[in-house]
């Protein structure tokens, strides 16, 4: 530790000796260069990151506002769905079967009293999303499990398990 202190003291002494040996004009130029280097460092470290943050803030604010609007819409939709009367089991089963029929030959539905299992074979992802929407709205079913594998881009195989609303209301 004392060795480092002596090295620093030696460097300081050398710097002061060189400073004293400089002409007044050279001292002013060296002082101006040091101020310029310090100002540049201040701008690069202190001002530019803050300026960048300020310039990006409006875009981030718009994104957050859009997310908030989407969350509010989903909350309103959730509240509306909760306020709807439960669907009788026969009607829920009919809605699920109708939605499954629209998926084509690649889908099989097995309905149990409290849940429904959908087995998919090479079904487009958009059709799966539509089925989930129809199951949620028409049968008041909620997804419990999803085990899907993507065979080709946008084409899925696997199983979906949804809880039926009538069984969930009895709990």
């Amino acid at each position: 530790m004392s060795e480092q202190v002596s090295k620093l003291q030696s460097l300081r002494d050398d710097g002061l000796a060189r400073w004293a040996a400089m002409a007044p004009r050279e001292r002013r130029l060296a002082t101006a260069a040091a101020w310029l280097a310090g100002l540049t460092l201040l701008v690069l470290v202190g001002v530019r990151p803050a300026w960048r943050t300020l310039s990006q803030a409006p875009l981030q604010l718009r994104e957050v506002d859009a997310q908030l609007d989407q969350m509010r819409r989903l909350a309103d939709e959730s509240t509306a769905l909760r306020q709807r009367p439960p669907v009788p089991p026969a009607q829920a089963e009919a809605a699920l079967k109708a939605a499954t029929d629209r998926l084509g030959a690649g889908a099989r539905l097995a309905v149990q009293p409290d849940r429904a299992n959908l087995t998919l074979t090479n079904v487009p992802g958009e059709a799966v999303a539509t089925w989930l929407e129809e199951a949620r709205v028409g049968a008041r079913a909620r997804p419990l499990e999803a085990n899907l594998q993507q065979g080709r881009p946008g084409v899925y195989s696997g199983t979906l398990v949804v809880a039926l609303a009538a069984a969930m209301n009895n709990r």
Side-chain angles (χ1 to χ4, degrees), residues 57-73:
L59 175 64
Q60 291 174 345
L61 187 58
R62 281 192 298 273
E63 290 173 359
V64 168
D65 283 343
Q67 290 174 355
L68 180 61
D69 288 343
Q70 181 181 9
M71 289 174 65
R72 284 182 177 153
R73 280 192 306 274

Side-chain angles (χ1 to χ4, degrees), residues 12-161:
R12 182 178 175 269
D13 292 341
D14 288 345
L16 288 174
R18 287 185 184 162
W19 183 260
M22 285 184 183
R25 182 176 177 192
E26 290 175 329
R27 285 184 195 167
R28 282 192 300 271
L29 285 172
T31 302
W35 275 101
L36 185 61
L39 184 62
T40 301
L41 184 63
L42 175 69
V43 167
L44 290 175
V45 174
V47 175
R48 281 189 71 200
W51 190 268
R52 189 175 309 120
T53 299
L54 284 174
S55 66
Q56 292 173 351
L59 175 64
Q60 291 174 345
L61 187 58
R62 281 192 298 273
E63 290 173 359
V64 168
D65 283 343
Q67 290 174 355
L68 180 61
D69 288 343
Q70 181 181 9
M71 289 174 65
R72 284 182 177 153
R73 280 192 306 274
L74 290 173
D76 291 343
E77 182 180 352
S78 174
T79 301
L81 286 173
R82 257 189 255 119
Q83 292 174 347
R84 293 171 110 184
V87 175
Q91 186 179 348
E93 186 175 341
L96 288 175
K97 285 183 179 178
T100 303
D101 290 343
R102 284 189 279 283
L103 290 176
R108 284 190 331 252
L109 182 69
V111 179
Q112 299 168 359
D114 64 337
R115 62 182 58 203
N117 297 318
L118 177 68
T119 304
L120 303 169
T121 306
N122 296 323
V123 176
E126 188 175 303
V128 175
T130 301
W131 185 90
L132 281 169
E133 177 70 18
E134 289 178 21
R136 184 174 61 89
V137 174
R140 309 285 196 285
R142 291 188 200 164
L144 293 177
E145 290 180 37
N147 182 13
L148 300 174
Q149 295 82 33
Q150 186 173 8
R152 297 184 317 262
V155 178
Y156 295 90
S157 296
T159 59
L160 284 170
V161 179

Side-chain angles (χ1 to χ4, degrees), residues 5-21:
V5 170
S6 65
K7 284 182 182 180
L8 287 175
Q9 186 65 35
S10 173
L11 284 173
R12 182 178 175 269
D13 292 341
D14 288 345
L16 288 174
R18 287 185 184 162
W19 183 260

